[in-house]
């Protein structure tokens, strides 16, 4: 085996917003609701909006975001794998081979026209960026999209050939009767195993680490991973290659409900302007078990990211309240409750205390419910946090 190690946890909501002057507020209050025109929203645009543009050359990236729902969180592979390590789009062959596959795989991905990929990784205990924790089990599941099933089958076979040929005198092939199309190999005495398997237009690439090197144990983990992953692909409808660039940027209005300072010239971006399925919300959780339970309980089915704010969609108003309660309960001991703006119904905020790390965590995080939506805003400035909280509520109210 010659695979690159995992990169750090994919974290959404990273970039700072640009400036936008002169935003207006529209809309009238519904019965029983506040008049959002009186809220202090600063310069944030909160009028009803639509992003009507299509992919414009970034269709593969949008397809990768869609694939977030087609790649299972590791806790659904085995309940012990509750530590989410990664969930993100793999936009191209360079990223795939820089971080997850051996460098010799890149010509194969290019020759077979890899379109995009999505990665999910998790473990049974926290791991470090310096390598696996001794005795840990980790599963890294990379699903790559190809133009058609023939290209995927050829890619899987060729990826196996070049990966095995890195050390042909050390590697050993393993049969997996339930999945006869799976190419599996490992090095005796080394406690990991790699797999390539074509399924429809996809290639599933697995890298699994276990505490010990035992053939049957490694094969059992490959099989249980495929048992979870294959049905997820069956439920996913891939976009035909010739229609990728016609994909809408915001098909269900999630991004239009997500607070940003500047709405102009927005294009798909995995960290700054994106929509994901609920699985992405689980894949990056320190406790995937609790996060999956929260998703199931609230019926959460979509997550949008706009700069460093986000919106989550749930089943109904009551589910939104439960989602906020659940998110605050797992915010961590480094966060303490703090007052939310009193004129924003249902809003709740937490503030980083002296045990937190301001270099890596926002000072303020606020949760804003409105019907079946929950906005999550972050800021390092209290006045800005209050304005973002008010603006998020106003935007959600104006958008319905």
């Amino acid at each position: 085996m010659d695979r690159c190690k995992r990169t750090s946890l994919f974290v959404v909501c990273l970039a700072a917003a640009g400036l936008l002057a002169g935003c207006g507020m529209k809309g009238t209050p519904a019965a029983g609701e506040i008049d959002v025109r009186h809220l202090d929203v600063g310069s944030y645009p909160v009028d009803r909006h639509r992003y009507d543009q299509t992919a414009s050359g970034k269709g593969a990236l949008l397809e990768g975001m869609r694939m977030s729902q087609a790649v299972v969180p590791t806790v659904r592979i085995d309940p012990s794998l509750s530590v989410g390590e990664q969930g993100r789009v793999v936009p191209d062959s360079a990223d795939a081979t820089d971080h997850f596959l051996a460098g010799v795989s890149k010509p194969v991905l290019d020759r077979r026209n890899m379109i995009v990929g999505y990665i999910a990784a998790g473990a049974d205990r926290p791991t470090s960026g310096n390598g696996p924790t001794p005795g840990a089990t980790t599963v890294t599941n990379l699903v790559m999209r190809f133009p058609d099933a023939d290209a995927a089958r050829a890619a899987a076979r060729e990826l196996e050939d070049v990966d095995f040929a890195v050390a042909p005198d050390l590697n050993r092939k393993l049969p997996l009767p339930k999945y006869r199309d799976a190419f599996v190999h490992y090095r005796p005495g080394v406690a990991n195993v790699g797999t390539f398997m074509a399924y429809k237009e996809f290639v599933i690439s697995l890298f699994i680490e276990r505490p010990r090197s035992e053939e049957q144990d490694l094969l059992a983990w490959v099989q249980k991973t495929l048992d979870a992953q294959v049905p997820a692909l069956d439920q996913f409808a891939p976009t035909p290659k010739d229609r990728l660039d016609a994909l809408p940027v915001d098909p269900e209005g999630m991004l239009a409900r997500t607070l940003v300072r500047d709405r102009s010239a927005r294009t798909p971006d995995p960290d700054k302007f994106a929509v994901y399925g609920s699985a992405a919300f689980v894949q990056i959780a320190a406790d995937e078990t609790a996060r999956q339970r929260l998703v199931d309980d609230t019926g959460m089915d979509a997550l949008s990211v706009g700069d460093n704010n986000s919106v989550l969609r749930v089943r109904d108003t009551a589910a939104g309240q439960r989602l906020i309660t659940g998110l605050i309960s797992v915010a961590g001991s480094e966060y303490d409750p703090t007052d939310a703006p009193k004129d924003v119904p249902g809003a709740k905020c937490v503030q980083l205390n002296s045990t937190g790390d301001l270099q890596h965590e926002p000072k303020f995080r606020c949760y804003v419910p409105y019907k079946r939506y929950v906005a999550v805003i972050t800021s390092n400035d209290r006045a800005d946090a209050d304005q973002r909280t008010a603006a998020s509520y106003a935007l959600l109210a104006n958008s319905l």
Side-chain angles (χ1 to χ4, degrees), residues 16-17 71 85 91 101 110 176 179 220 238 240 248 277 298 331-332 394:
V71 181
E85 295 197 314
L101 302 178
D110 293 338
L176 188 59
Y179 296 97
T298 62

Side-chain angles (χ1 to χ4, degrees), residues 55-131:
S56 301
K58 292 194 173 183
L61 193 60
L62 286 177
E63 184 76 348
M65 296 171 191
R66 292 185 67 240
M67 284 173 60
S68 62
Q69 197 64 18
V71 181
V72 291
T74 53
V75 73
R76 287 168 53 187
I77 296 169
D78 190 274
S80 68
L81 301 178
S82 61
V83 181
E85 295 197 314
Q86 194 156 198
R88 70 171 179 89
V89 175
V90 179
D92 51 37
S93 62
D95 187 38
T97 52
D98 282 348
H99 296 112
F100 308 111
L101 302 178
V104 294
S105 300
K106 190 175 187 303
V108 175
L109 302 180
D110 293 338
R111 182 168 61 251
R112 298 303 175 183
N113 299 308
M114 171 190 164
I115 293 173
V116 72
Y118 194 90
I119 184 87
D124 63 351
R125 64 195 71 184
T127 60
S128 71
N130 297 323

